[in-house]
Amino acid sequence: DTLRAQGVRATFGMTGQWAERNPELLRRMAREGHQLMNHTYDHDSFPGVSTRRGAMSAEARRVQIERTEAVVRLIAGAEMRPYFRPPYGDYDASVNLDVGALGYRYNVMWTVDSLGWNGLPAGAIVQRCLRNAAPGAILIFHVGAASQDAAALPGIIRGLREAGYEGAVTKLDAPRLKDVGYDVFIDDAEVIEVGHLRLTAIHNPGHTEGSISFHVQGTPLLFTGDTLFPGGPGNATFEGG
């Protein structure tokens, strides 16, 4: 209701189970123009970091993704590709590759956690979100009785607008990253700006054809599938906002 009253569109990362339990809300989200992201079927960790149950197989990950797609498509006739939100924020290079193979080119994380899910009161949520706001920021909120995010939302929207910010769903922001994707020829040592990052391209023939490597503050990064992540197995995605 707050989003509609304020004329704001948001991006909702939802599980298939939540969609099944809230079909009317899901249909309303799609009808009112909000972006939907695949958040898996039951919010299990793909690499098993937070659940400590070990990493899922690629096949198990596929089932989670496609089951959620089917639920959302059946209820609301909406598509979630190409946006994926990993449960608990857990992911590594293998997760990016697996979801990318299923058509999810954007692994969408966040830069500001409201901490409403952790019991923070509404006033403190407003202060936290406004204090950490920055151009290109992605704020994450949660639904449920334990969170005061909904109560804090009017104050956050008002404060952001007073500070000169405007909201944008990922559908509008994502093309910025495509500008440094596979359709652009990048010379060795060329500097590219993505958000607040300055990326220096380096020649790296050992990686997959079509990938590009960069150095950021001395750290080697690999750019594949429109996602940046530190080189080496098991490292998490590095997003430049």
Side-chain angles (χ1 to χ4, degrees):
D1 291 341
T2 298
L3 295 175
R4 182 174 62 180
Q6 296 291 332
V8 174
R9 288 185 300 160
T11 300
F12 289 91
M14 69 184 63
T15 65
Q17 288 183 338
W18 187 94
E20 289 172 334
R21 297 190 195 107
N22 301 273
E24 284 304 319
L25 279 176
L26 173 57
R27 281 189 281 265
R28 181 178 173 186
M29 290 172 184
R31 185 171 62 248
E32 295 184 3
H34 300 292
Q35 177 68 52
L36 305 181
M37 291 191 297
N38 198 317
H39 200 34
T40 75
Y41 182 75
D42 60 11
H43 204 267
D44 201 354
S45 172
F46 278 14
V49 175
S50 295
T51 57
R52 300 180 184 276
R53 288 198 291 266
M56 283 190 194
S57 67
E59 174 62 16
R61 294 170 179 178
R62 182 191 66 78
V63 171
Q64 286 270 337
I65 292 290
E66 293 185 349
R67 187 175 181 184
T68 303
E69 289 177 343
V71 168
V72 171
R73 192 177 297 121
L74 177 64
I75 294 173
E79 298 296 328
M80 312 178 88
R81 297 178 186 174
Y83 306 109
F84 173 74
R85 164 67 53 82
Y88 309 101
D90 292 349
Y91 61 95
D92 55 19
S94 72
V95 173
N96 290 332
L97 291 174
D98 287 343
V99 300
L102 296 171
Y104 290 86
R105 301 180 63 218
Y106 301 100
N107 181 356
V108 184
M109 294 293 286
W110 59 89
T111 61
V112 182
D113 186 342
S114 73
L115 295 184
W117 59 271
N118 201 32
L120 210 63
I125 292 172
V126 173
Q127 293 177 2
R128 175 180 175 81
C129 291
L130 296 182
R131 181 175 66 249
N132 291 288
I138 301 175
L139 281 64
I140 184 172
F141 304 103
H142 291 82
V143 299
S147 176
Q148 291 296 303
D149 284 341
L153 197 54
I156 294 171
I157 294 173
R158 181 171 57 252
L160 290 175
R161 284 176 167 164
E162 289 174 352
Y165 289 102
E166 295 180 355
V169 294
T170 54
K171 185 181 294 184
L172 303 179
D173 287 339
R176 166 180 65 167
L177 294 181
K178 292 174 65 177
D179 290 341
V180 292
Y182 302 129
D183 296 329
V184 178
F185 290 100
I186 300 175
D187 296 326
D188 194 31
E190 181 177 346
V191 175
I192 299 166
E193 293 189 2
V194 180
H196 64 273
L197 294 180
R198 287 178 59 83
L199 312 178
T200 303
I202 58 173
H203 180 58
N204 196 336
H207 286 132
T208 305
E209 181 180 358
S211 67
I212 305 165
S213 292
F214 299 94
H215 276 303
V216 179
Q217 296 177 342
T219 301
L221 297 173
L222 175 64
F223 183 81
T224 57
D226 295 332
T227 302
L228 291 168
F229 56 89
N235 288 324
T237 299
F238 188 100
E239 296 196 342

